[in-house]
Amino acid sequence: MNNHNGNDRTEFVFSGFGGQGVMFVGQLLAYAAMDAGFNVTWIPSYGPEMRGGTAHCTTIVSRKPIGSPMSPRPHVAVVLNLPSFTRYEPLVREEGLLVVNSALVSLTSHRQDIQTLDIPATTIAENLGSVRAANMVLLGAALTAKPALPLAAAHSALEAHLPPQHRSLLALNHAALDAGAAVVLERL
Amino acid sequence: MNNHNGNDRTEFVFSGFGGQGVMFVGQLLAYAAMDAGFNVTWIPSYGPEMRGGTAHCTTIVSRKPIGSPMSPRPHVAVVLNLPSFTRYEPLVREEGLLVVNSALVSLTSHRQDIQTLDIPATTIAENLGSVRAANMVLLGAALTAKPALPLAAAHSALEAHLPPQHRSLLALNHAALDAGAAVVLERL
Amino acid sequence: MIPAAELERVYERPESLTALHTNYCPGCTHGVAHRLLAEALDELDLREQTILVAPVGCAVFAYEYFNLDGCEAAHGRAPAMATGIKRLLPDRTVLTYQGDGDLASIGIAEIIHAAARGEAITTIFVNNAIYGMTGGQMAPTSLPNQRTTSSPSGRDVALTGQPLRVSEMLATLPGAAYVVRRSLHDPANIRKAKKAILTAIQVQQRGLGFSMVELLSTCPTNWGMTPADALTWVKDHMLSIYPLGDYKVSDAARELSA
Amino acid sequence: MIPAAELERVYERPESLTALHTNYCPGCTHGVAHRLLAEALDELDLREQTILVAPVGCAVFAYEYFNLDGCEAAHGRAPAMATGIKRLLPDRTVLTYQGDGDLASIGIAEIIHAAARGEAITTIFVNNAIYGMTGGQMAPTSLPNQRTTSSPSGRDVALTGQPLRVSEMLATLPGAAYVVRRSLHDPANIRKAKKAILTAIQVQQRGLGFSMVELLSTCPTNWGMTPADALTWVKDHMLSIYPLGDYKVSDAARELSA
Amino acid sequence: MALKGTVVIDQERCKGCQLCALACPQNVLILDPDLLNAKGYHPARLEESHNFCTGCAVCAVICPDACITVYRQPSPRRIERTEAIYG
Amino acid sequence: MALKGTVVIDQERCKGCQLCALACPQNVLILDPDLLNAKGYHPARLEESHNFCTGCAVCAVICPDACITVYRQPSPRRIERTEAIYG
Amino acid sequence: MAKELLKGNVAIAEASVRAGCRAYFGYPITPQTELLEYLSSRMIALGRVFLQAESEVAAINMVYGAACTGARVMTSSSSPGFSLMQEGLSYIAASDLPCVVVDVMRGGPGLGNILPSQGDYFQVTRSAGHGDYHPIVLAPATVQEAIDMTVLAFDLADHYRHLVILALDGLIGQMMEPAELPEWQADLPTPDWAVTGAANRAPNRITSMHLRADESEAYNQHIQRRLERIRAAEQRSIEMYTDDAELLVIGFGSAGRIAASAVEMAREDGLNVGLFRPQTLYPFPSERLAELAEQVGACLVVEMNAGQMLDDVRLAVNGRAPVEFFGRMGGAIPLPEEILDTIEMLCWSLHVVE
Amino acid sequence: MAKELLKGNVAIAEASVRAGCRAYFGYPITPQTELLEYLSSRMIALGRVFLQAESEVAAINMVYGAACTGARVMTSSSSPGFSLMQEGLSYIAASDLPCVVVDVMRGGPGLGNILPSQGDYFQVTRSAGHGDYHPIVLAPATVQEAIDMTVLAFDLADHYRHLVILALDGLIGQMMEPAELPEWQADLPTPDWAVTGAANRAPNRITSMHLRADESEAYNQHIQRRLERIRAAEQRSIEMYTDDAELLVIGFGSAGRIAASAVEMAREDGLNVGLFRPQTLYPFPSERLAELAEQVGACLVVEMNAGQMLDDVRLAVNGRAPVEFFGRMGGAIPLPEEILDTIEMLCWSLHVVE
Ligand SMILES: Cc1ncc(C[n+]2csc(CCOP(=O)(O)OP(=O)(O)O)c2C)c(N)n1
Ligand SMILES: Cc1ncc(C[n+]2csc(CCOP(=O)(O)OP(=O)(O)O)c2C)c(N)n1
Ligand code: SF4
Ligand code: SF4
Ligand code: SF4
Ligand code: SF4
């Protein structure tokens, strides 16, 4: 049997507390992919959580039309808190990438078959001006380690799609993307 | 094609204003037939009439199990008022019997292929004590002209099934049955 | 007898009724309610501007009896249907005509919410304390100890509660601009009922909110009475349980009815 | 700190609650309402005699949170379900716990008719002026100009009517023996709410009729406030629209609450 | 002195409920014992043997089937048609 | 003189809503800034640095998650348990 | 017991009483109202529960609550009212509660009329609300069968903890026929899952909620396994002249008994025609029908609707024989003569009968 | 127009606005609520009608009233709410009124959960209430299709004066995908049957009542003739690799698009597998499927339910080929990999593919 998901399709999962901006970062990636001419789907979490739980979403970027929009074994998992780490660390596909907000997650992955990036995103974002940009730090890192899209696409998507009421945060978000990328490049 | 309804099955329709006791007389016939060991069905009218219209019911007496309980072309139609006459006169099956309460119905049938009995049932019943026994007069006449059951069966059914609150009318009803029969026998 | 030519016609069948003979039982005051509503529409010159929503109940054919655009709602849902119509045609007069089973039992949610929203529709609520069309079962409005085909030994209030007084209840809602109870049991009361219907429709025309006229009505057939006895029964038994009166007249509506 | 051994335990988690952690958002007063109800059942020693009917709404899991026999109704139908249970088990205590979307919107017919029948059940009505579970849509109880996800520029009373005051409406029904409104926005009011719940259940035990305690409650999540601000919002904005008080206390019930 | 009036009854529409006859202050309406209409009812008719119709329209006000048209001697003060009868 | 009391808080159940802390008349409850429970909240805890818990149970009355058990020095007049706190 | 002349609706009501029905909640609607009316005095006289609900929505949810107590409970309605019960039916089914619902079908769609019809076939057999399940559906063709099936309905409901629907039309509901009422059934013990107050045991909880996909799917598999058992054990049908039938006429309920008349006539005319009358609509008696389909030359489905059971027949026959249809709709009742005409026509055109 | 990243529920809402929907009445229920929420501001901003009803029962009856005025109207709900609409849907259908109803299906039965499901297939295609009729049912598999089908739904509703249901699941409702919104449609004239006040014409009357059997049957025949026209003209489906397919995988909506992934994988593995995705569930694309059934060795139906469309497939295939089933229930979503496993297993066991 073939590996049916070759390089045509990359599945991202973003997961964290409500309020950490995981939905938005997943959508931003989707906008970036769409603008760059990829097929893309974004779906919010489906889970039994009711109030105040963990939020997650899946963004799939693909050169071919996307059948199933689900990702039980993502190529890239970006986890912003401990419950998300516990949930997604074992699910990342072999050879995949796990990006961990190490400022809030004390554990580290022991898996050998995936790449793990521990990034103190909340701390980095706080230093840049607001903890709320931690999501962008992690996206910057993820796209640098797994260049399914050029980072520039994320920058332009920010420009084009950041909702009007948040445009004051534009510079911060740009900086956060770059800061996340920088951490990865430094470590190379 | 056979005549599929031979003598095994006799279909009666009773029709009149609400209050003329057409439902009860149909049920009485059904009781009589049941007690005499026949198969029997009774169905109330199905029609668009809403309030204050004509009531009718169908009683089928049969030696064989009864499939369809409907009678679009009855063997015997007992009509107590003008609208009932108008409706059922044309429907009586060839060779069938039409029993008309001539006290309230001014028309007479011109059909040659059926037997018609014009009986001033309301008048006869009034003379016996109450117009409400007109239904029994007509049943007595019908069973005499078309002896699907012996008249005695109707008498015993009266005895057995007249509701308790109407038992004071027992004698009247017996007399009415006989009076109806007598009219027919006289005319033979 | 005076030749008609010398006389003035002071009353005739209103134009807002069609020529159809109704299916109502003899003496049933549904007919009176119809007539009053039709007269009111004639007088306000609204026949061509009105949409009537008929109920499920003995008045199910109301849309045929009125010379108006009309439709036939599902049982109890006339106020929802009327809401749909009114929202699309805000300048038209939209009426529901409903029995007490329809409005007070299965349709209580829809009437309450229409009133609560202040929906500018007018409801003619015909309360005859019984389900007429289906053959005389108990309604929430049936009187204590009233015999019906589903309370054959009389309504047992311990098991089924006291009669539901809808006007009193709707009167608590700010959206209700005009909620009154009238009766059809004699000519004087019929005259008052007519006035109330006129006011209710005017309340709608001015957009003052929800309006409803509850009419105490008869069901000679299922009460097992002559039409005349049925009128007496309304007077002797219903009036005390369902006092006539103005349960809600908003300030703006008061000016109209004055 | 004094060693606990020398101390008397004056408050602990009531037995009528299970050990489960609830799904409620931090600071949501659904939790307070649960606790009060559980305490009341403990005090009346009714835990083993009670059947709870949970609603559809944030309290959908209530049957898991209470250490009682329980079931889960369809949205709005808890009073009908409770009626079915109570009629079969007249000597048990039957409770419904319902939100304002559940009770005042989709379920208004069922609560009215349960009250009208004088059904001997007790309803805990948690009014937080919004649909919590589905993410903050307008409820019939939402305040004028309140922003919700289905009234994003604020509730427009011209289009949607004034807030529905259920207790006031139910109070018009003779079958309702005890209908009061309390609030959960501070300890003093919580204490009063507790007393009302005790009385309501006793009204049921004595078979005096339908009883309901409306509780003004918070939804910090969908109001977009901290839990503490939400309590303040109840005080500052809800109390004036929903005055606290006893809307219906039948004579027999009055003896109890005295 | 009472006004003079008369009524025309749509006898085919009438259901013989007798409400008009019982309501008529002049007692000039009866159910015709000799007539049965197509619906099977004895319809109302004017019977001015002892008394006369004043055109007061009480019968029309109570008739559930709107069978009755009412005529009246013009009065000095002219009033609108159906409004008239509801005073 | 105020009674002495104390509270035991189920910190795993606590959602850090802070309602107890804001309600406590003695100001002896805080959200623990150093502790995050499994749910991800900073739970409440007793912090009697300036003041002392009187066992008044106001915190328990307002806690939506029934996390708080309250103890109090026995008072001369014996009163029933939960009833006590609702006075 | 001796035979009595009984009206279908009343017979069902009395049979339910004897089967131990403890509570009835319903709302008037023609042509089922006699059932409600009969029970309004009967149940109260017996000290049982009768309550006229404010609506069908309330009625089914009262039944839902009453069923939670473990008692035998019932409601009845007719097509529009049955539509209003759909949500409640789905909840009841998803809570593994036994209960019996009678649908005395009438002419539709919409308000339609009060005439007999079989237009709810899909509604009763397929969905009865949202989600994956089927109620057990019994379809009597005589008053006696209505009685027997009422008792059976309660027994099956308890046995499988499943929703059972008795689907008939106004013809059977309002017809009087001689029939024998059942014995009184002994009282059953309260089942251990019932909510009655958690005294001396852990709380019982009845819910239809399964928030997690895995739990929800497991629960659905549990329902599907139950339905498999039901399909294996409960297919019921009646046959007439199937031994040598070359044309098989298939109909249920009233249409089935009317078709029986037509089949008798056809036999008198020398045509080798047989009758297959499903008594269970779910589970549909597919196994026996599939067998018969091997033998006959063609099938004729007769219904009082536009052809709904037709689907089930075609699914069972699965191409083995042509399936033709004769139906009357919206309250019209087929006559044996017109069915016979169709039979004759088919015999000629399909050459299935010599 | 350019492509935008759109969420299914929102895309349907905006497409309805552009298709000229004048009024929306609805009640919140996950997973369709975004549709209602979006329209709550959008419609009011456009001076159109948005009203949150007190219940789904009220919502469908408000739609009923609004449709009587001849305007384009819509409501939306999800499974339990859709169950509550059954009576109203039957009335609307029986009144020849055009209108559009969106059902964003979720896991059932009962309260179930808010996960994606296709468990309402029977409820939407078969009965949608009592009586003999079928709504037109459209089943989008992508956000773009959801948009296009919304416009189509309004057009078909008006063209046939018929009820149209857009049936999707929460996956498509809550998914974002690039898609293009439609042009604004010009306002349509008020149809001559609408109730608007009887000025200068005879009154218009809208009813679903037909008391007499003959009238009722004639009306039902009128509906059946319309359904025949619909079946003849509106069967729609999408195919992939059907030219040389030996195993045909059949699925609609989400299950269909997930099956497409599985078919792609199977092709990569060299298996001659094709995909048939019905876009109309009523009329079911039986004609094309019957053709394909002649050619393929077997069919595999994939659904997010216990096997409901399965009936329609088997009816269309009518024994010409074996029909197998793979389903996930109650909110579980199938994975392409598990469908692929089933495909492979079938290919071996049925020997349909070399
Ligand atoms: C959903 C539904 N349930 C029940 C019925 C049967 N039904 C028709 S009219 C009616 C009650 C009518 O009573 P009411 O509203 O008081 O009007 P009336 O006939 O007395 O004028 C009922 C229960 C129906 N048509 N639809
Ligand atoms: C028939 C039906 N319609 C809609 C829903 C969706 N729904 C679930 S809870 C809810 C409203 C909850 O609001 P409320 O009753 O105020 O309770 P809260 O969540 O605020 O405690 C709605 C609309 C449903 N489950 N079933
Ligand atoms: S049944 Fe009653 S309400 Fe209906 S028409 Fe007859 S008298 Fe009037
Ligand atoms: S959503 Fe609102 S009502 Fe629901 S648990 Fe959260 S705060 Fe409480
Ligand atoms: S018992 Fe009273 S003093 Fe002690 S912590 Fe609680 S509120 Fe504060
Ligand atoms: S009130 Fe309860 S949940 Fe809130 S912080 Fe205090 S202990 Fe924790």
Side-chain angles (χ1 to χ4, degrees), chain B residues 48-52, chain C residues 23 25 61 132-133:
Chain B
E49 299 79 24
M50 297 183 62
R51 307 267 140 246
Chain C
N23 274 310
C25 305
F61 272 123
M133 187 189 217

Side-chain angles (χ1 to χ4, degrees), chain C residues 194-243:
Chain C
K194 166 77 175 293
K195 277 213 175 143
I197 293 173
L198 278 167
T199 307
I201 297 175
Q202 287 169 304
V203 164
Q204 172 175 178
Q205 285 187 287
R206 312 274 162 96
L208 304 181
F210 174 79
S211 54
M212 179 174 100
V213 181
E214 174 175 349
L215 299 171
L216 301 186
S217 191
T218 63
C219 179
T221 299
N222 289 301
W223 295 355
M225 295 177 196
T226 66
D229 287 350
L231 295 182
T232 310
W233 198 79
V234 170
K235 179 155 64 78
D236 293 348
H237 296 93
M238 287 183 77
L239 287 183
S240 57
I241 305 272
Y242 296 112

Side-chain angles (χ1 to χ4, degrees), chain F residues 7 24-26 28-29 46 53-59 70:
Chain F
V7 296
C24 171
Q26 305 301 314
V28 292
L29 294 173
L46 194 65
C53 170
T54 62
C56 71
V58 161
C59 54
V70 184

Side-chain angles (χ1 to χ4, degrees), chain F residues 47-79:
Chain F
E47 171 73 64
E48 292 179 306
S49 38
H50 310 289
N51 231 336
F52 292 96
C53 170
T54 62
C56 71
V58 161
C59 54
V61 168
I62 208 158
C63 174
D65 286 275
C67 312
I68 308 181
T69 310
V70 184
Y71 298 86
R72 193 192 294 162
Q73 218 175 18
S75 73
R77 192 165 45 86
R78 201 188 152 77
I79 30 179

Side-chain angles (χ1 to χ4, degrees), chain H residues 215-277:
Chain H
E215 284 168 8
S216 173
E217 188 165 45
Y219 175 70
N220 268 281
Q221 279 156 352
H222 154 80
I223 299 190
Q224 294 302 322
R225 278 192 303 273
R226 182 196 301 159
L227 291 175
E228 220 164 88
R229 281 193 292 136
I230 291 171
R231 281 196 300 269
E234 307 298 346
Q235 299 186 11
R236 287 171 167 79
S237 55
I238 291 271
E239 295 173 29
M240 241 172 74
Y241 305 121
T242 45
D243 287 1
D244 62 345
E246 293 165 85
L247 173 71
L248 189 65
V249 182
I250 306 165
F252 71 96
S254 291
R257 75 182 276 165
I258 297 171
S261 292
V263 167
E264 290 285 6
M265 292 174 179
R267 282 279 162 180
E268 284 174 31
D269 294 348
L271 299 171
N272 278 355
V273 176
L275 179 84
F276 184 75
R277 177 162 69 77

Side-chain angles (χ1 to χ4, degrees), chain C residues 2 6-13 19-22 24 26-28 31 35-36 39 43 191 194 228, chain E residues 4 12-13 15 17 22 39 60-66 68-74 78 81-82 85-86:
Chain C
I2 318 156
E6 293 176 21
L7 300 175
E8 186 185 16
R9 192 159 55 201
V10 291
Y11 182 79
E12 69 185 331
R13 196 175 161 82
L20 272 185
H21 294 195
T22 70
Y24 300 117
C28 171
R35 221 192 53 228
L36 298 187
E39 289 169 12
E43 284 169 37
R191 289 194 172 96
K194 166 77 175 293
Chain E
K4 295 273 149 166
E12 277 310 306
R13 186 183 293 284
K15 292 173 185 155
C17 72
L22 294 169
K39 291 202 190 76
V61 168
I62 208 159
C63 173
D65 285 275
I68 309 181
T69 311
V70 183
Y71 298 86
R72 193 192 295 163
Q73 219 176 15
R78 200 188 152 76
R81 281 196 316 177
T82 67
I85 69 160
Y86 289 98

